[in-house]
Every structure is written in structure tokens, then in C-alpha cells.
Amino acid sequence: MHPVFDLHCDTIYELQQLGTGTLAENSGQVSLAWMDKAGQVTACFAMFVDSEQGNCWRSAQRLHERFLMELKQNQDRIVQVRTTDEIRGSSLHGAILSCEELQILEGELSRIGTLASWGVRLATLTWNHENDFGFPHHLAGGLKRLGFSAVEELEHNNILVDVSHLNDEGFNDVASISRKPFVASHSNCRSVTNHSRNLSDRMIRTIADKGGVVGLNFCPSFLSEDWMRSSIEAMVRHAVHLKQVGGSAVTALGTDYDGITGELEIPHYDALSLLWQALEKSGFTSSELQAMWFENALRVFS
């Protein structure tokens, strides 16, 4: 089995919302039981908040507490990792803390330092609503003044800027001021499926030129016109296009597990071998697949 690096899952949020199940065993798409079957998995566990519900910072604190509790209860199976050395050096599954929706800060940039102290290594500037920093994929407008400051502060604290969910104008602003690689942790190709959450070819090339990666998202509506089914065939189309446009070094995995619904042909990590086989048949080499599965994502965290 090949090591897996998943740039985005919503599992901690789902566990907190549902109030049932644990990271060890639950009814969702990510659990330690499924991770064990897949081999060794490193996953970015997102602290997601819906800014329209308010109390964003307190919600983030609760999610962080839940994250720590789950790791403590399963310390013989999974460990929080922050650096490439920690990821490579562990024989356990790896958990990276990330942030989805920077309104988590409630406008206080000083809290980015707190996120860094928690071990957050990746953060999206927006989710699906306008916030203090910018606009989501379906709205117009570039980064706001606080958004420009946030990019600088995130990079200063060694937190990767994540442009998934951000609109095109905001993306251009990030590209113009970023000094480090940035990523789209869970996004696909707009030329293959015309959805505003997906990336244009120009955006893919920009991320590649900056040394970043794009995590292949398993959400049905981002993969094809069939919004109810996520198929391997559609995943292959996006992965092939991603490689053709940005090169193999830009490819990565960003499943969006526990944040997506529908009939998933790859419902858990253990079925990723089916996608590997399909991509081999499409022309990916073994070294390119190893990079997509693990090494490319690892590189941007160095």
C-alpha cells in the first residue's frame, strides 16, 4: 500500500456536529478504522466554521479541543504532525490541523499566531460567504484590505495560504503578493467541469509556477454534471488535465471527505487503490502517482 496525504477533510467538524461517533469509529467517510485499512495516512483535519452562525472563534476553540481529545484517546494510532520531519519520522497516522474559513479570526489578525501555536499549517481565506478578508467563488471582488494583511501574516507564521473557495479576483491578488507557495487544497479543473469552485487553466499554471499543489476533490458536483455520483472516470479526467496543464508536481489529493455527499465510487481511503490503477492506465507513471499521493503535498509543507 502507498502512503496517502489528504489535504482536506471535515471529519472533526462532522464529529462535533453529529455528537456521535469518534475518530476511531464513526459512520462517516474518515475514521481510524478506514485509515488502518489504507496503510499510513496523513490528513489535514479542517476546523470549519459557518460565519453566518456567529461565534466563530469560540467554535474554533471547541473544534481544537475536540481535535486534541480525539488524538489523546487514540495516541497509539495517530499523532499531530507539523513538519515534514515529523510526518516522515512517524510510524503512526498523521493529523495536520487546518482552518477552513478565515472568519474564524473574527477580524483579529493576532489570532493567526494562536492558530500557529495550535499547529495549524493551512488556512482557506474564505468559505462560501463574503467575509472580512474577501469573497467566495460565486461572488465578485478581490481581497479586502484585511485579506492582504492576512496573507502576509499567514506566511509569516508558516501557515499555507489555501485558495480553495476563493474567487478569481481574490486568487489573482494572492498570486500577486504571495512570497511562498500557496495551494488549492480541494479543487478541480474548470475546463473539465465548469463550476466556479474549480480552477481555470491559468490558475492551475499559477499555482504550479509558485511551487504549490492542487488537491483533487471527490465532490460529485466538482467532478462532472452528475451531482449525485462521484466516479473514478471523472476523477481521472480531472487528474489527467491537471497534470497536462500544471505538470505532475502540482497534483495532490484533497478528498473533502466528510464535507461531501452522494454516491462515491471511492468512499474511503482504502479504495484509493482503484484510482491509482485507473490513473496508471491513463498514463501516469508510478513515480508520478507516488508524488500525487504523498510527496507533492509533503513538499509544500517543508
Side-chain angles (χ1 to χ4, degrees), residues 1-299:
M1 289 182 284
H2 308 281
V4 173
F5 201 134
D6 182 4
L7 287 169
H8 187 85
C9 72
D10 287 299
T11 306
I12 295 299
Y13 174 79
E14 272 296 286
L15 291 174
Q16 187 81 341
Q17 286 293 106
L18 293 174
T20 60
T22 66
L23 185 57
E25 194 78 50
N26 61 70
S27 61
Q29 293 156 350
V30 174
S31 69
L32 288 171
W34 289 116
M35 293 168 84
D36 287 346
K37 291 180 180 180
Q40 189 169 16
V41 178
T42 301
C44 294
F45 290 89
M47 294 185 295
F48 164 72
V49 299
D50 185 340
S51 60
E52 292 193 339
Q53 295 182 4
N55 298 314
C56 294
W57 183 247
R58 182 61 191 131
S59 296
Q61 290 175 315
R62 293 193 184 100
L63 289 168
H64 180 231
E65 292 163 2
R66 180 62 183 260
F67 175 78
L68 294 178
M69 182 193 77
E70 295 290 349
L71 295 191
K72 184 176 181 180
Q73 291 180 351
N74 298 283
Q75 58 188 333
D76 58 335
R77 300 170 73 184
I78 189 168
V79 63
Q80 184 175 5
V81 288
R82 298 169 175 82
T83 67
T84 55
D85 286 343
E86 289 179 352
I87 295 168
R88 285 196 183 278
S90 176
S91 60
L92 306 178
H93 299 301
I96 296 175
L97 193 61
S98 64
C99 168
E100 184 173 33
E101 169 61 276
L102 207 59
Q103 196 62 26
I104 200 171
L105 304 177
E106 297 179 330
E108 294 189 30
L109 287 184
S110 61
R111 286 173 169 165
I112 290 177
T114 302
L115 295 180
S117 73
W118 292 353
V120 170
R121 290 299 321 278
L122 181 153
T124 69
L125 297 175
T126 63
W127 184 56
N128 290 337
H129 310 304
E130 178 185 353
N131 65 16
D132 292 336
F133 305 94
F135 300 87
H137 57 98
H138 58 282
L139 298 177
L143 291 185
K144 299 180 180 181
R145 179 188 59 80
L146 205 61
F148 284 97
S149 299
V151 171
E152 181 178 353
E153 193 65 18
L154 288 168
E155 291 191 336
H156 176 72
N157 281 275
N158 205 28
I159 297 174
L160 285 165
V161 176
D162 184 353
V163 295
S164 285
H165 288 281
L166 191 62
N167 67 2
D168 292 17
E169 294 155 282
F171 178 99
N172 295 338
D173 288 335
V174 170
S176 71
I177 64 171
S178 62
R179 296 175 178 271
K180 296 181 178 181
F182 62 90
V183 305
S185 66
H186 55 305
S187 296
N188 293 335
C189 306
R190 199 177 295 170
S191 291
V192 179
T193 302
N194 187 20
H195 193 296
S196 58
R197 266 287 279 110
N198 288 340
L199 303 169
S200 70
D201 288 357
R202 180 188 57 79
M203 296 162 83
I204 293 168
R205 282 191 291 267
T206 298
I207 292 173
D209 290 343
K210 286 280 189 174
V213 295
V214 177
L216 182 69
N217 192 318
F218 292 8
C219 179
S221 59
F222 305 157
L223 285 169
S224 74
E225 301 304 318
D226 185 350
W227 285 31
M228 299 305 295
R229 185 171 183 270
S230 170
S231 71
I232 291 173
E233 180 183 2
M235 292 178 189
V236 169
R237 285 198 298 269
H238 282 271
V240 167
H241 187 81
L242 191 59
K243 187 181 83 163
Q244 288 175 342
V245 172
S248 60
V250 82
T251 62
L253 300 173
T255 64
D256 210 357
Y257 277 158
D258 289 322
I260 57 177
T261 58
E263 180 187 344
L264 308 183
E265 197 167 357
I266 302 180
H268 309 286
Y269 291 127
D270 66 318
L272 279 170
S273 58
L274 300 176
L275 178 59
W276 180 291
Q277 294 164 13
L279 287 171
E280 270 188 326
K281 291 179 181 177
S282 77
F284 275 73
T285 67
S286 179
S287 61
E288 286 173 339
L289 287 170
Q290 289 172 17
M292 180 177 177
W293 253 237
F294 187 79
E295 297 293 340
N296 289 340
L298 184 68
R299 183 192 73 241

